């Protein structure tokens, strides 16, 4: 079977959500994005929101600054030359769990009429540690090989999901659209389980009939954007322990769904009760056919 539909969502920063869920706290962040005339209003809002979340995490949990120095010795002519390359990176020491209400935006224009967007966001977050189950997961576009990994889609492109866990466990996948609806992508529509069992070290490709289990009815996903660029947020949840699915509205043959606010509340509760659960948020951009 094939499932078609317009699935859109906000974009968030691309770091995995993992760690000890018992110490979830309230945070607040603010950031201003200055457009240079190359971004749409929606893109400006997305970038301001992403920066505001990072601001909230940095203020609450601090940052880690690391520096790598590369030294290369070489001879030019009759002279020896030493080259030094210093690379510094800064990472926040916390992770975003869920929004607490909608982000608040204000708008201005600079002297060149470029948009200036300020975003204020409240949410739930926690410090990062190493207790959560580790896994690798990526979205694939129009192919099931790892080289098809991509977050930029066009109208009508097929979406697959690549997954590999470090331990035996259970998997569920959700997608949030910009209309504040969250759809459950895994387990499949006709699967009666609330999560998908996976084995340690095995590579799985979901939404591909060729890679499905024998006798399994695989849902194929085709992403669409009819008129405007659309944004999706994909959540991959993985835990060594079994966990329950949220209560969702479900019609026969259709993806189960719920509103984003209820999903966020469920995710916060679930992670508080399961410190071994790892969550990764991946962001998709869908361009309409020109």
């Amino acid at each position: 079977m094939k499932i078609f539909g317009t699935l859109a969502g906000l974009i968030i920063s691309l770091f995995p959500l993992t760690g000890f869920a018992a110490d979830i706290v309230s945070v607040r962040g603010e950031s201003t994005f200055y457009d240079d005339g190359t971004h749409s209003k929606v893109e400006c809002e997305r970038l301001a929101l992403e920066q505001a979340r990072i601001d909230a995490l940095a203020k609450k949990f601090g940052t880690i600054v690391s520096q790598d120095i590369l030294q290369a010795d070489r001879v030019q002519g009759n002279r020896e030359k030493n080259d030094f390359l210093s690379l510094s990176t800064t990472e926040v020491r916390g992770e975003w769990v869920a929004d607490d209400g909608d982000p608040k935006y204000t708008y201005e224009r600079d002297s060149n009429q470029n948009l200036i967007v300020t975003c204020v966001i409240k949410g739930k977050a926690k410090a990062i540690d190493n207790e959560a189950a580790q896994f690798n997961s990526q979205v694939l576009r129009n192919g099931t090989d790892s080289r098809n990994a991509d977050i930029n889609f066009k109208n009508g492109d097929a979406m697959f999901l690549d997954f590999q866990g470090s331990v035996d466990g259970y998997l569920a996948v959700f997608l949030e659209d910009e209309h504040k609806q969250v759809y459950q992508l895994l387990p499949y529509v006709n699967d009666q389980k609330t999560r998908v069992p996976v084995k340690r070290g095995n590579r799985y490709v979901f939404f591909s009939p060729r890679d499905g289990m024998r006798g399994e009815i695989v849902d194929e996903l085709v992403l669409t954007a009819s008129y405007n660029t659309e944004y999706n947020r994909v959540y991959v949840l993985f835990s060594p322990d079994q966990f329950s699915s949220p209560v969702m509205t479900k019609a026969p043959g259709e993806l189960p769904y719920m509103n984003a606010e209820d999903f966020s509340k469920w995710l916060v509760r679930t992670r508080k009760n399961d410190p071994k659960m790892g969550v990764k948020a991946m962001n998709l951009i869908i361009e309409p056919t020109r």
Side-chain angles (χ1 to χ4, degrees), residues 61-98:
F61 303 108
T63 58
I64 301 172
V65 179
S66 61
Q67 186 177 60
D68 295 321
I69 298 178
L70 173 66
Q71 178 178 348
D73 298 328
R74 59 181 178 174
V75 176
Q76 287 185 332
N78 296 322
R79 302 179 61 184
E80 186 175 288
K81 183 179 180 181
N82 295 324
D83 290 337
F84 291 88
L85 176 62
S86 177
L87 298 176
S88 296
T89 59
T90 302
E91 298 180 358
V92 293
R93 302 177 64 178
E95 56 167 321
W96 198 264
V97 175

Side-chain angles (χ1 to χ4, degrees), residues 43-285:
E43 290 173 314
C44 292
E45 291 175 342
R46 174 182 63 82
L47 293 168
L49 174 60
E50 179 177 329
Q51 294 171 0
R53 286 197 179 102
I54 294 174
D55 174 67
L57 295 173
K59 287 190 296 188
K60 184 65 179 180
F61 303 108
T63 58
I64 301 172
V65 179
S66 61
Q67 186 177 60
D68 295 321
I69 298 178
L70 173 66
Q71 178 178 348
D73 298 328
R74 59 181 178 174
V75 176
Q76 287 185 332
N78 296 322
R79 302 179 61 184
E80 186 175 288
K81 183 179 180 181
N82 295 324
D83 290 337
F84 291 88
L85 176 62
S86 177
L87 298 176
S88 296
T89 59
T90 302
E91 298 180 358
V92 293
R93 302 177 64 178
E95 56 167 321
W96 198 264
V97 175
D99 292 350
D100 186 2
D102 294 331
K104 308 298 184 185
Y105 297 102
T106 56
Y107 307 92
E108 299 179 77
R109 295 280 181 178
D110 64 16
S111 59
N112 294 319
Q113 294 303 301
N114 293 324
L115 191 60
I116 301 173
V117 178
T118 298
C119 176
V120 176
I121 182 67
K122 296 180 181 179
K124 303 295 184 183
K126 61 186 184 65
I128 293 176
D129 64 26
N130 295 319
E131 187 170 354
Q134 300 299 305
F135 64 91
N136 294 321
S137 186
Q138 56 187 350
V139 172
L140 309 176
R141 182 178 70 89
N142 290 340
T144 58
D145 193 273
S146 58
R147 63 186 174 185
N148 292 100
D150 204 345
I151 63 169
N152 296 290
F153 283 68
K154 295 187 181 299
N155 179 55
D157 283 347
M159 188 193 101
F160 306 95
L161 182 75
D162 184 18
F163 177 87
Q164 188 173 34
S166 60
V167 296
D168 292 354
Y170 301 90
L171 174 70
V173 178
F174 300 86
L175 184 144
E176 180 182 344
D177 72 12
E178 63 186 13
H179 304 293
K180 298 297 183 180
Q181 294 291 330
V182 175
Y183 299 86
Q184 185 170 24
L185 304 183
L186 283 178
Y188 293 129
V189 168
N190 291 307
D191 194 333
Q192 299 303 311
K193 297 187 294 293
T194 60
R195 63 263 159 186
V196 178
V198 291
K199 294 294 184 180
R200 177 185 64 183
N202 288 357
R203 178 178 183 258
Y204 296 87
V205 178
F206 295 100
F207 314 117
S208 167
R210 186 185 66 182
D211 297 283
M213 302 292 290
R214 178 174 297 180
E216 183 178 45
I217 301 178
V218 175
D219 299 336
E220 297 180 62
L221 297 182
V222 176
L223 302 185
T224 66
S226 301
Y227 303 104
N228 300 310
T229 301
E230 300 181 2
Y231 302 94
N232 292 249
R233 178 191 303 176
V234 175
Y235 294 93
V236 179
L237 283 60
F238 175 63
S239 176
D241 300 324
Q242 298 187 40
F243 56 92
S244 299
S245 177
V247 177
M248 309 187 82
T249 301
K250 186 178 185 302
E254 295 184 1
L255 293 173
Y257 67 92
M258 65 190 304
N259 67 64
E261 181 178 358
D262 288 341
F263 175 76
S264 293
K265 292 178 180 177
W266 170 82
L267 184 57
V268 170
R269 290 194 303 269
T270 300
R271 300 195 70 191
K272 281 184 177 180
N273 295 327
D274 185 359
K276 295 182 180 179
M277 175 177 283
V279 180
K280 183 175 182 179
M282 291 179 285
N283 310 286
L284 311 181
I285 302 173

